[in-house]
Amino acid sequence: MLNILITLDENYFPQLRVLLTSLRLNAPGEHFDIYLLYSDLPEHMLQAVERWCRAAGYEFHPIRMDGNLFGSAPVSSRYPAEMYYRLLAPRLLPEELNRIIYLDPDILVINPLRPLWETNMSGWLFGAAAHTGKTELANDVNRLRLGVEHDYYNSGVLLMDLELGREEIIPEEIFRYVEEHRMELVLPDQDLLNAMFGERIFPLDDAVWNYDARNYNNYVMRSSGKYNVKWVMENTAILHFCGKAKPWKPGYIYRFGVLYQHYEQLAGRSWQPYL
């Protein structure tokens, strides 16, 4: 059994359907417990996910957040309460859980996740990947901006040790950091992960576990041609459609957009009886 965590609002409900469809198709026979942290989703959406999960043989655990939990948190249109959910997951999820994989909703799973689930990261809070790209420029800029020495990790895929998180992640310390550094946070939740917990992150291979779908040419160049499309389809488990350009929007120009659109069609058919 693998535990999967997702957080979203109703605008990303179509992408949730695509993500879950890809998960089911590319991990046949695997049992997933799907945990959803949310603040306000229509009941018909939650019921549709429940019905689909039941048909897939998965357990669905929607957990509505109490606004009072974030009463002392700096919250605004730029810093919505939802940005805290993944970092505070150890405090928000049932205490009997000890490990979970967090996935952003703008993701396709194209190979099994079990090897990630079984990764030995004893003593580390998180497993995450850095998108270093063709050069170290982005890493260097973010190190300087946040005053850290480690790589700048992407927060869209996280393997989380929930037991350690309950010991080490203090909500008040996170809220205090946001209050004191709010002018410096460019990507608030990701900046928080790196600034506060970057030294407690076990590095994952982004080409396998958090492939930036915008950067195909960079992956090919940095691997001297090895990470071509065939390699990606055989080895990459998680395709992450990072950034503002999204494959479900008009004008998407990157290589794996057509693959995402294929899964959109599959999701449309497989979810129709449950909507």
Side-chain angles (χ1 to χ4, degrees), residues 15 23 47 54-55 82 87-88 93 103 114 122 143 146 151 183 190 197 209 217 244-246 262 265 270:
Q15 287 69 53
L23 192 69
Q47 290 176 356
R54 191 184 312 121
E82 286 82 359
L87 286 182
L88 295 181
L93 293 169
L103 298 175
R114 180 157 287 279
S122 178
R143 287 190 191 107
L146 297 177
D151 283 343
M183 300 304 295
Q190 195 158 274
F197 305 108
W209 300 118
N217 291 335
K244 292 183 179 179
K246 299 297 185 185
H262 174 63
Q265 294 299 313
S270 70

Side-chain angles (χ1 to χ4, degrees), residues 6 24 26-27 42 54 56 69 71 103 112-113 122 125 127 152 156 158 161 171-172 208 214 221 235 245 247 250:
I6 301 164
R24 183 183 187 187
N26 293 299
R54 191 184 312 121
L69 291 173
L103 298 175
L113 294 184
S122 178
L125 266 179
Y152 185 75
L158 297 172
D161 186 322
E172 291 73 22
V208 177
R214 301 168 295 183
M221 283 194 295
N235 296 277

Side-chain angles (χ1 to χ4, degrees), residues 214-228:
R214 301 168 295 183
N215 288 339
Y216 174 77
N217 291 335
N218 287 348
Y219 284 105
V220 171
M221 283 194 295
R222 88 184 199 199
S223 66
S224 300
K226 178 182 177 182
Y227 294 172
N228 56 22

